[in-house]
Amino acid sequence: MKAVIPHADARPSSPAGSLPGAGPWHVRAADPALEEVAETVRALLAPHLPDAAAGEAPRELLLGLDELTSAPPLGVSPDGAAQPVDEGYRLRVDTDGITCHGRTPTGVFRGATTALQLIATARVTGELPYQELADAPRYAWRGLMIDPARSFLTPDEVRRIIDLAALYKLNVLHMHLTDNEGWRIELPGTPALTAPGAEFYTAADYRALQEYAARRFVTVVPEIDLPGHCATLRAAVPGLPPAPAPAGLADRFPFVPPLDLTDEATRTAVTRILTEICTLTTGPFVHIGADEAFGAIPESFDASVRELRTLVRDLGKRPVAWQESSRAGIGPEDIAQYWVDVEMMDLPDTAEGLAARPELVAAGRTMEIISALKKFFAPTDDDLRRTVEGGGRVLLSPQSHLYLDRPYAPEFAPPEQAAEAARLGFDGYRPLGVRHTAEWDPAAYAIPDANVAGVEATVFAERFKGFEDVSVLLLPRLPSVAEAAWCGRAPEWAEYRARLAHHGRLWTDRDLPYFASTEVDWR
């Protein structure tokens, strides 16, 4: 099958027939090892079930284990295993209901999310055709990054995002916990990071979120973004010296000085912070940032990245970093998250080109600023090559398609969402439609299989606030990224949009606001 969004209107297989599209369902584990999975599936399914009529017998969603085996996926397993877990499953819809089988509980759960989508969208189509399918993922790491550092999300809101990710078979939640605008994780060793009145996750909150995610086979990866993006840390630990800066920079552009990890006091403060975050984190990965260290000379940046990697490894975790980290040297144990190059930034070359980009003009971009941006980001053009040649792993997050804080193109906004579409999204990106994201092909980068880590969408919060804004920016674009990560290719647009059209009901059931793009005939 190879699809994250199943074909709700798939033609019946043998025997011919269909189930009614509405009614009660009972989830049953055929094996004691699946009781916890069944409990989680019941919780995920609950928003999509109407109240049962008196005397109406429920249909059954049966979960079972068998010896089904699937081809191993490409990339890095989020649970740190040398060989990724088998997430393959087999699903059957027949007169008795739906049966999901897999070789592992993870695979059974992935099948159950397909069943859940079929049940929820069958309320739109009116029937659930009998069918059989087997499926397994192409990429082992399938992630979503959220940005509570800039726009705090409550623990309950994060749980709703974890549920959404799990429903579309994503298995990593990357939490961008720190930035210039905020520090959102409680670390008792440096209490000033989370001052009274600030919004943040307590240690207990963070542990509970990891436990909640694990029950949905999602791994939480925390990001402590260093050596740049460090204003909150500098405020909490005053007196840390700035990293050596390029000559003349301070007189031209304002910036927060990156940290200098060769400084003993800085290294001591950062060691204390990373020790606590590694101790709190149950998963095997910790993201160290390493992006946009504007205001540090290359030698200082490289030394800081190497020190950050060493600290995380010495603490028993595996570091992940943005692609700029490749400049500090990179090897087979390193994961570089690829997000940008100069062409991908889609910036004009002339004043006339700038005048034709009203979103950039409104954001205050000038040709001087654009020229400085291109110069600063010029080294990104070699980061992907450098990572592959060094034997590192590439986590694909290109801003061209997978940065879901991109504004929606106004021509696709329904009248009732025109103002919302104009307000949402990062003002440095060209507004585009849902089809643009859906046509992203993860195979287009010609990365050797041995150098693939996986795929991860991001939704940075520089230009919006709150859960509802996050939801509208994610939906309806996130499912296409999840499908590309699961299938390893872009779906055919006409066929995909027909499947996507049924999912507005699923999101409404879960009280998730979405952008009702006119590119899709919502049902």
Side-chain angles (χ1 to χ4, degrees):
M1 176 185 168
K2 283 291 183 185
V4 162
I5 297 181
H7 298 255
D9 55 353
R11 293 326 315 148
S13 60
S14 180
S18 64
L19 295 173
W25 284 82
H26 170 67
V27 181
R28 181 168 69 89
D31 189 298
L34 295 174
E35 287 293 348
E36 185 174 286
V37 174
E39 181 182 346
T40 301
V41 172
R42 290 184 196 107
L44 286 171
L45 183 58
H48 307 287
L49 298 182
D51 293 333
E56 186 177 8
R59 293 181 292 279
E60 186 170 76
L61 172 54
L62 179 66
L63 310 180
L65 295 169
D66 70 8
E67 293 304 313
L68 171 75
T69 58
S70 309
L74 295 180
V76 175
S77 177
D79 65 6
Q83 294 297 323
V85 66
D86 189 338
E87 297 181 82
Y89 67 90
R90 184 174 63 244
L91 180 147
R92 178 180 174 86
V93 182
D94 58 21
T95 55
D96 296 324
I98 304 178
T99 303
C100 297
H101 281 101
R103 191 167 67 88
T104 68
T106 311
V108 175
F109 181 78
R110 302 297 178 221
T113 62
T114 294
L116 187 152
Q117 291 184 46
L118 289 171
I119 292 168
T121 58
R123 295 175 61 195
V124 181
T125 62
E127 65 175 20
L128 181 51
Y130 296 164
Q131 56 194 283
E132 293 184 44
L133 58 91
D135 210 356
R138 173 62 171 167
Y139 293 111
W141 183 302
R142 306 179 305 277
L144 169 64
M145 191 220 77
I146 58 174
D147 183 12
R150 293 185 175 94
S151 179
F152 186 71
L153 297 165
T154 68
D156 281 345
E157 289 167 345
V158 175
R159 281 188 274 271
R160 295 177 69 189
I161 291 173
I162 291 169
D163 285 348
L164 177 65
L167 286 170
Y168 290 103
K169 300 180 175 61
L170 299 177
N171 60 1
V172 173
L173 183 73
H174 168 178
M175 298 183 71
H176 186 77
L177 292 169
T178 75
D179 215 298
N180 292 327
E181 295 83 351
W183 190 285
R184 306 300 185 183
I185 182 73
E186 176 189 40
L187 300 177
T190 313
L193 289 167
T194 46
E199 296 177 297
F200 59 89
Y201 307 110
T202 66
D205 290 335
Y206 182 59
R207 291 189 188 97
L209 287 172
Q210 292 178 93
E211 292 169 3
Y212 187 90
R215 288 174 67 99
R216 287 143 182 82
F217 300 93
V218 172
T219 299
V220 173
V221 176
E223 180 181 352
I224 306 298
D225 196 356
L226 301 170
H229 294 270
C230 59
T232 50
L233 192 155
R234 285 195 170 283
V237 188
L240 299 180
L249 187 64
D251 298 329
R252 296 181 61 201
F253 303 103
F255 62 93
V256 176
L259 299 176
D260 177 13
L261 269 293
T262 66
D263 171 70
E264 184 177 354
T266 302
R267 189 167 56 251
T268 298
V270 170
T271 299
R272 183 171 62 247
I273 287 166
L274 290 178
T275 298
E276 292 196 74
I277 197 69
C278 288
T279 300
L280 286 171
T281 299
T282 56
F285 296 95
V286 168
H287 203 299
I288 58 173
D291 64 316
E292 298 180 323
F294 189 72
I297 61 173
E299 295 79 4
S300 172
F301 172 76
D302 293 354
S304 291
V305 170
R306 289 192 293 268
E307 184 66 26
L308 289 166
R309 285 177 181 158
T310 297
L311 286 171
V312 169
R313 288 194 173 106
D314 287 348
L315 291 164
K317 302 297 182 182
R318 186 171 173 185
V320 185
W322 298 102
Q323 68 183 66
E324 293 96 320
S325 63
S326 65
R327 301 167 207 169
I330 194 161
E333 290 301 308
D334 294 314
I335 299 174
Q337 191 162 1
Y338 174 61
W339 69 281
V340 71
D341 57 35
V342 173
E343 181 180 0
M344 202 187 301
M345 296 177 73
D346 190 21
L347 295 172
D349 296 317
T350 64
E352 292 76 16
L354 176 59
R357 296 284 300 279
E359 75 280 3
L360 296 180
V361 175
R365 303 296 194 273
T366 64
M367 286 309 300
E368 182 187 17
I369 291 174
I370 289 171
S371 176
L373 285 171
K374 288 183 177 181
K375 181 178 180 181
F376 176 72
F377 283 97
T380 62
D381 289 349
D382 291 321
D383 288 339
L384 183 59
R385 173 195 57 78
R386 186 182 296 109
T387 300
V388 171
E389 290 182 356
R393 297 278 198 157
V394 178
L395 182 57
L396 285 167
S397 299
Q399 72 169 222
S400 59
H401 292 81
L402 268 59
Y403 271 45
L404 303 187
D405 52 322
R406 178 180 293 277
Y408 290 106
E411 60 266 31
F412 300 127
E416 65 274 15
Q417 287 189 288
E420 188 173 36
R423 175 178 64 85
L424 289 180
F426 181 61
D427 53 15
Y429 299 151
R430 186 191 299 269
L432 293 169
V434 174
R435 181 174 182 172
H436 171 78
T437 302
E439 291 183 334
W440 178 68
D441 181 5
Y445 304 86
I447 300 170
D449 289 355
N451 296 103
V452 172
V455 171
E456 187 170 288
T458 76
V459 57
F460 281 102
E462 290 166 296
R463 294 292 184 273
F464 66 85
K465 293 291 183 184
F467 176 81
E468 289 196 358
D469 287 354
V470 174
S471 183
V472 171
L473 286 167
L474 289 178
L475 299 173
R477 294 183 290 199
L478 182 65
S480 73
V481 179
E483 177 138 336
W486 183 268
C487 302
R489 64 181 184 278
E492 195 279 321
W493 170 246
E495 181 270 338
Y496 173 76
R497 70 189 287 269
R499 286 186 280 133
L500 185 65
H502 300 289
H503 281 245
R505 168 65 70 89
L506 186 153
W507 305 327
T508 298
D509 286 348
R510 307 191 74 83
D511 196 23
L512 294 171
Y514 67 97
F515 180 69
S517 171
T518 58
E519 298 165 277
V520 178
D521 182 18
W522 302 100
R523 300 181 187 179

